[in-house]
Amino acid sequence: MKTITALAVSLSLITASAFAETSQEKGLGIAKAADARDTGFQDFTADMQMILKNRAGKTSTRSIRIKTLEVLGDGDKSMSLFDTPADIKGTTMLTYSHGLKPDDQWLYLPALKRVKRINSRNKSGPFMGSEFAFEDLGSQEVEKYRYNYLRDEPCGQGWTCHVIERKPAYQYSGYTRQVVWIDNKEYRPTKIEFYDRKNSKLKTLVSSGYREYAGYWRPARMQMDNHQTGKSTTLNWNNYTFKVGLRASDFNKNAIKRR
Amino acid sequence: MKALMLVLSAMVAMPLAANDIEVSGNVGVEARYFPQDALYPGQEDGGLSLSIQPEFRRQWDNGRKSLTFIPFYRWDEKDDERSHGDIRQLDFTMASDNWEFQAGVGKVFWGVTESQHLVDIINQTDTVENFDGEDKLGQPMLRMTRFLENGSIGLFVLPYFRERTFSGAEGRLRSPLVVDTDNATYESADEEQHVDVALRWEQTLDSVDLGLSYFDGTARDPEFNQVGSTLVPYYRQIQQLGLDLQYTGDAWLWKLEALRRENADTGYNAAVGGFEYTFAGITETGADLGAIAEYHVDSRDELATSPLQNDVFLGARLALNDAESTELLAGTILDLDNSSKSFRVEASRRFGDNVKVNLEAQVITDTDAEDAILHGLRNDDLIQLEIQRYF
């Protein structure tokens, strides 16, 4: 009798959890699935062109070469190497990203041949004067946010997207929350809305032109519009190459001097 | 010199397709103005100067191999000693998983502090370029670096010594007596051919970056002997043990550089330490403000060849983080033993895609006659504007 009761209780628990999954659990589940979908890429290199546009429509461009090494069980290691503007050519940023722990970051200044360890406190600060904050460009680890599933809805190109809300769990974020549209087939984020510390809508990021490289999907274009200033920044991605054979030794304080 | 030949022949032997060589660099025009009258006969009041620094670079094997050539030349309207050229870099670098090898003329920076680069010793300072000591002459070297887990050990062999540059008779920012750079003397019979060696261990331990260095060779900063009405540089043989340490917190950077230096007769200790605190995002547009304080101490007191023997540096760094990379650094050095003070402001901003404008100003005031180096410069307040065009 006892066993039967226990069995009945556990059965009812299973069904309860299957049918009454909370919106938090569902949101976290989607974030984990998206993370799993992108795991195993090993490494990639890509060229990023960043076009800054001010309210008057005047533009300025930066070209940045990106190298990323996947680190299983921690955030990725990445290197951003600036080719333009010409006065900062050769400047390189090395980042060891982590989940909730602050990232480790070094900056190489080629004119002085100096490697400077910098603090990553200013996560909400603009990256190179753009509308992207440092935290927007960092490695997106699952534990960096708390999630809440909102709904499913069509999101263009015949895709259906999960719409989830996520709140930064790390310190010093410039956001109270973000709303993310991510397609339900390949887990490609198509749109993110950013809400500032006063919970006003600050920026919208739209990613488009997705292509599959070695089984991993990457957008060709990411456009960030700042609704409060009227400024925008567009990232055009080119020459994505996965599994080029980068090693940990390509991501250290000596390697960033090599540029 | 052999290393140089090796690099040159490697460059020539390379199958050099023109589109493999990256060409960049800058040309600059600089105007200097000294508002106060010159202290010494023959000194001029500033003027114009032009500089060019092209860079030629070839990289392959995912950046693990590279050849670099960076010549430099400055022409100065007033001071013949400031009109000078240099090979800033001409080297070959090769890296594997565990090793890195560099041969040729290059530049190496050691250290963490902002107001003085105490342990940095591989390269000679190009003092006529700028008073701040940040400009360096290219150093012939062979370097082998062994990578460690989160660190490295580097061995440097430096087969040729570069003499320090000094302002000529017409130049400002000099001592009362002109330095005779044509007749430098050396403790070593090998003179500038003396082979210097250095060793450096670097390690990152979580939030701490540590460097330990040892140098055995020709001192980069000379002593002087008065001969007639000139100062003749005398370069000693020294052994120097250096430490640099930085702790990186959320908003704090704590920094320390310390050294022990010995020569045949005597020895001394010196240190500089302090912090930089960043107030992040002080404006809606995301500007950062850093507050810097550093203390300098030197066991030689007023006999020190450096003016920083019991001084404190207080400074502020403002980075607007805007599209033009506008930055401002302002600071003061106060001598705690007497009334000597100096102030310095550096500002820079990009205009368009390729033009950079740098503005520098310095004031040296209330100098004490015992503070001989600074006292000799007491009328050399300076405003300097530089416009650089990058290509």
Side-chain angles (χ1 to χ4, degrees), chain B residues 68-352:
Chain B
T68 308
F69 178 39
I70 308 177
F72 167 82
Y73 190 78
R74 174 177 300 282
W75 170 82
D76 190 87
E77 184 191 1
K78 298 287 175 63
D79 184 358
D80 288 345
E81 289 293 322
R82 197 164 181 249
S83 292
H84 70 299
D86 184 36
I87 293 173
R88 295 295 199 222
Q89 194 173 346
L90 174 58
D91 68 352
F92 170 68
T93 307
M94 194 173 92
S96 73
D97 261 4
N98 299 316
W99 291 93
E100 191 175 67
F101 173 76
Q102 178 184 9
V105 174
K107 180 155 93 171
V108 168
F109 179 88
W110 297 345
V112 291
T113 54
E114 299 301 318
S115 52
Q116 187 190 9
H117 302 313
L118 191 66
V119 304
D120 188 37
I121 194 168
I122 296 289
N123 290 79
Q124 180 59 274
T125 304
D126 191 359
T127 58
V128 295
E129 257 309 277
N130 199 327
F131 184 66
D132 64 9
E134 302 254 314
D135 292 277
K136 299 286 172 179
L137 298 174
Q139 172 65 48
M141 68 173 80
L142 283 168
R143 173 176 65 89
M144 263 168 42
T145 297
R146 167 85 191 177
F147 302 141
L148 309 169
E149 181 86 23
N150 298 315
S152 65
I153 291 179
L155 172 69
F156 300 78
V157 178
L158 314 168
Y160 188 81
F161 174 76
R162 304 290 313 274
E163 280 178 47
R164 185 164 286 198
T165 59
F166 290 96
S167 297
E170 307 93 1
R172 299 291 288 258
L173 296 163
R174 68 164 169 89
S175 47
L177 299 179
V178 176
V179 176
D180 179 1
T181 50
D182 296 328
N183 294 295
T185 53
Y186 295 84
E187 179 179 340
S188 165
D190 295 334
E191 303 195 326
E192 68 267 40
Q193 309 278 349
H194 185 271
V195 179
D196 300 344
V197 291
L199 197 64
R200 178 170 170 85
W201 173 54
E202 290 182 348
Q203 196 71 38
T204 298
L205 305 153
D206 203 15
S207 299
V208 174
D209 287 65
L210 167 80
L212 257 184
S213 53
Y214 181 75
F215 173 89
D216 188 339
T218 312
R220 271 48 185 154
D221 48 338
E223 295 170 9
F224 296 100
N225 294 311
Q226 187 174 343
V227 176
S229 60
T230 62
L231 294 179
V232 173
Y234 175 61
Y235 292 97
R236 279 199 177 260
Q237 288 297 305
I238 58 157
Q239 293 78 45
Q240 174 177 311
L241 188 62
L243 164 78
D244 53 89
L245 195 61
Q246 179 176 315
Y247 167 80
T248 305
D250 276 352
W252 290 98
L253 303 176
W254 287 94
K255 300 171 173 190
L256 176 71
E257 290 189 26
L259 64 77
R260 168 76 195 166
R261 183 186 285 193
E262 280 172 6
N263 60 35
D265 301 327
T266 179
Y268 73 95
N269 306 313
V272 50
F275 66 81
E276 177 163 356
Y277 184 88
T278 304
F279 299 91
I282 56 161
T283 63
E284 285 280 304
T285 53
D288 292 337
L289 179 68
I292 309 167
E294 289 177 353
Y295 172 70
H296 303 259
V297 63
D298 188 311
S299 66
R300 295 168 298 174
D301 291 327
E302 297 297 339
L303 293 172
T305 51
S306 149
L308 300 165
Q309 86 299 342
N310 181 22
D311 295 61
V312 64
F313 169 83
L314 301 171
R317 187 203 310 274
L318 179 68
L320 293 190
N321 294 326
D322 56 352
E324 293 79 22
S325 304
T326 311
E327 286 190 4
L328 181 81
L329 177 67
T332 178
I333 293 176
L334 308 171
D335 195 311
L336 301 180
D337 293 329
N338 56 52
S339 58
S340 300
K341 301 173 189 66
S342 62
F343 301 90
R344 189 174 172 84
V345 178
E346 297 175 8
S348 64
R349 188 175 199 261
R350 183 184 312 111
F351 288 85

Side-chain angles (χ1 to χ4, degrees), chain A residues 215-236:
Chain A
Y216 301 94
W217 290 88
R218 290 291 182 273
R221 184 183 155 91
M222 297 165 81
Q223 173 150 342
M224 183 76 93
D225 288 306
N226 188 317
H227 306 296
Q228 297 180 2
T229 63
K231 294 198 249 181
S232 69
T233 299
T234 305
L235 305 184
N236 292 316

Side-chain angles (χ1 to χ4, degrees), chain A residues 45 52 58-62 65 67 77 81 83 85-89 96 101-102 104 106 110-122 124-126 128-130 171-172 198 228 231 244-247 249-250 252-255 257-259, chain B residues 22 24 55 57 59 62-64 89 93 95-97 100 107 109 111-114 117 134 143 145 147 150 152 202 204 206-209 246 248-253 255 278 280-281 284-286 288 317 321-324 350 353-354 356 390-391:
Chain A
T45 61
L52 279 55
K58 199 179 145 240
T59 61
S60 61
T61 303
R62 285 113 179 70
R65 279 179 276 162
K67 291 179 181 178
K77 293 182 178 182
L81 198 157
D83 283 324
D87 63 292
I88 57 161
K89 184 181 171 65
Y96 292 179
K101 210 180 98 177
D104 298 323
W106 293 265
L112 303 174
K113 298 269 186 282
R114 179 172 180 184
V115 179
K116 266 179 124 164
R117 175 92 175 257
I118 54 177
N119 43 34
S120 50
R121 161 76 176 79
N122 195 4
S124 60
M128 291 300 298
S130 75
Q171 270 191 302
Y172 310 123
K198 295 172 205 131
Q228 297 180 2
K231 294 198 249 181
V244 287
L246 297 178
R247 304 183 278 255
S249 60
D250 294 315
N252 61 34
K253 278 163 76 178
N254 282 287
K257 293 185 226 173
R258 261 178 251 142
R259 39 175 306 188
Chain B
E22 230 183 89
S24 59
E55 304 194 11
R57 186 169 275 111
Q59 288 198 309
N62 265 324
R64 287 175 197 134
Q89 194 173 346
T93 307
S96 73
D97 261 4
E100 191 175 67
K107 180 155 93 171
F109 179 88
V112 291
T113 54
E114 299 301 318
H117 302 313
E134 302 254 314
R143 173 176 65 89
T145 297
F147 302 141
N150 298 315
S152 65
E202 290 182 348
T204 298
D206 203 15
S207 299
V208 174
D209 287 65
Q246 179 176 315
T248 305
D250 276 352
W252 290 98
L253 303 176
K255 300 171 173 190
T278 304
E284 285 280 304
T285 53
D288 292 337
R317 187 203 310 274
N321 294 326
D322 56 352
E324 293 79 22
R350 183 184 312 111
D353 285 333
N354 297 311
K356 182 99 186 230
Y390 285 82
F391 54 87

